[in-house]
């Protein structure tokens, strides 16, 4: 990785390949996310919680695979879902710091970048290209979401709304394989919350992401089908 402060002079000639690709590092079985993205993700992927370390005990992730065998939404014709997760779409941009403000850095070692092929990052007169402008907005949304994530996870833990996930995945030759290692929202506890607690979660902007995380669990069926087709 070689991060550099993005500017329209040093990087005027850079072009970006925006298409998701295994060769470009998008073949991930899990993709980290933030509550602000749950509404966009829930129609495509299961949203679960992966045990973390340090200050963030759990990280919400979108599942791209159940077996850990890569990203099942990367097909022969390209990306096979209506939404591309922000953590993939923001590549190769990253957040940097300039005193107390965040700035946009770019990974100059990214295989997405070239001076010969791809879409330009900057317009001839120096302004941001539509592609770069969109990716900067995605980076900002992801960055803003990360600032709120610790408080969101803390609220889930205080209300004991996370439970271990155990999913039995059918095997082609018969039998099952248990998928674990993640947590999901405990629906019964969520349903039993007092009205005052629900109102507080709604006021803090947490209720909609919780509802979207629960709704996303219906996508396990499609993920199982994808696993079986490729088995």
């Amino acid at each position: 990785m070689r991060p550099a402060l993005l500017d329209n002079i040093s990087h005027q000639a850079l072009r970006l390949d925006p298409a998701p690709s295994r060769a470009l590092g998008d073949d991930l079985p899990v993709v980290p996310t933030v509550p602000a993205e749950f509404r966009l993700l829930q129609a495509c992927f299961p949203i679960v919680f992966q045990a973390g370390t340090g200050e963030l005990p759990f990280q919400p992730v979108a599942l791209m695979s159940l077996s850990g065998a890569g990203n099942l939404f990367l097909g022969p014709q390209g990306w096979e879902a209506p939404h591309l997760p922000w953590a993939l779409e923001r590549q190769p941009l990253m957040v940097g710091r300039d005193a107390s403000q965040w700035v946009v850095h770019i990974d100059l070692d990214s295989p997405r970048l070239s001076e010969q092929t791809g879409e330009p990052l900057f317009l001839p007169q120096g302004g941001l290209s539509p592609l770069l402008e969109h990716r900067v907005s995605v980076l900002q949304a992801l960055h803003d979401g990360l600032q709120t994530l610790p408080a969101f996870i803390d609220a889930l833990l205080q209300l004991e709304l996370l439970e271990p996930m155990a999913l039995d995945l059918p095997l082609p030759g018969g039998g099952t394989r248990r998928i674990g290692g993640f947590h999901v929202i405990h629906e019964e506890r969520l349903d039993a919350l007092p009205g005052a607690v629900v109102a507080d979660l709604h006021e803090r902007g947490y209720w909609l992401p919780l509802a979207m995380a629960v709704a996303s669990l219906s996508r396990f069926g499609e993920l199982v089908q994808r696993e079986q087709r490729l088995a």
Side-chain angles (χ1 to χ4, degrees):
M1 183 179 294
R2 189 158 51 102
L5 181 63
L6 183 65
D7 72 80
N8 61 359
I9 298 176
S10 303
H11 308 126
Q12 175 67 42
L14 281 182
R15 291 175 171 267
L16 171 66
D17 183 348
S21 164
R22 287 184 171 83
L24 298 179
D26 296 317
D27 196 19
L28 303 175
V30 298
V31 177
T33 182
V34 292
E37 192 184 13
F38 286 9
R39 182 177 61 82
L40 298 170
L41 292 168
Q42 60 84 26
C44 310
F45 323 103
I47 300 167
V48 298
F49 296 80
Q50 191 173 45
T53 58
E55 296 181 1
L56 194 64
F58 286 94
Q59 168 67 54
V61 297
L63 288 182
M64 306 289 123
S65 167
L66 293 174
S67 63
N71 192 329
L72 300 183
F73 294 87
L74 280 168
Q77 305 303 317
W79 187 248
E80 297 180 346
H83 176 66
L84 179 62
W86 290 346
L88 298 182
E89 192 173 16
R90 61 93 180 169
Q91 296 287 350
L93 304 182
M94 61 191 72
V95 170
R97 282 286 174 188
D98 181 9
S100 61
Q101 300 205 354
W102 76 275
V103 292
V104 178
H105 280 62
I106 191 166
D107 179 13
L108 295 177
D109 283 340
S110 171
R112 298 178 187 278
L113 297 176
S114 168
E115 293 189 359
Q116 289 76 41
T117 61
E119 299 184 30
L121 294 180
F122 295 97
L123 301 174
Q125 63 271 31
L128 304 186
S129 69
L131 171 65
L132 180 57
E133 188 171 12
H134 176 69
R135 295 222 165 187
V136 169
S137 71
V138 168
L139 180 67
Q140 180 167 6
L142 189 58
H143 175 68
D144 291 346
L146 288 171
Q147 308 314 300
T148 67
L149 186 54
F152 177 74
I153 296 297
D154 186 59
L156 299 190
L157 295 178
Q158 287 186 13
L159 295 172
E160 299 182 334
L161 289 178
L162 293 179
E163 64 173 341
M165 181 194 85
L167 177 69
D168 291 326
L169 182 64
L171 296 175
T176 60
R177 177 166 56 88
R178 174 150 289 193
I179 305 296
F182 299 104
H183 285 64
V184 294
I185 300 297
H186 196 302
E187 293 187 51
E188 290 79 10
R189 287 181 187 152
L190 185 66
D191 289 341
L193 289 177
V197 175
V198 172
D200 178 64
L201 289 171
H202 180 74
E203 185 175 343
R204 296 168 71 184
Y206 298 164
W207 185 256
L208 181 60
L210 284 170
M212 295 296 98
V214 170
S216 78
L217 301 184
S218 67
R219 309 312 302 176
F220 270 113
E222 180 184 345
L223 205 50
V224 168
Q225 292 175 6
R226 285 179 179 267
E227 293 273 359
Q228 291 173 336
R229 287 200 301 268
L230 296 174

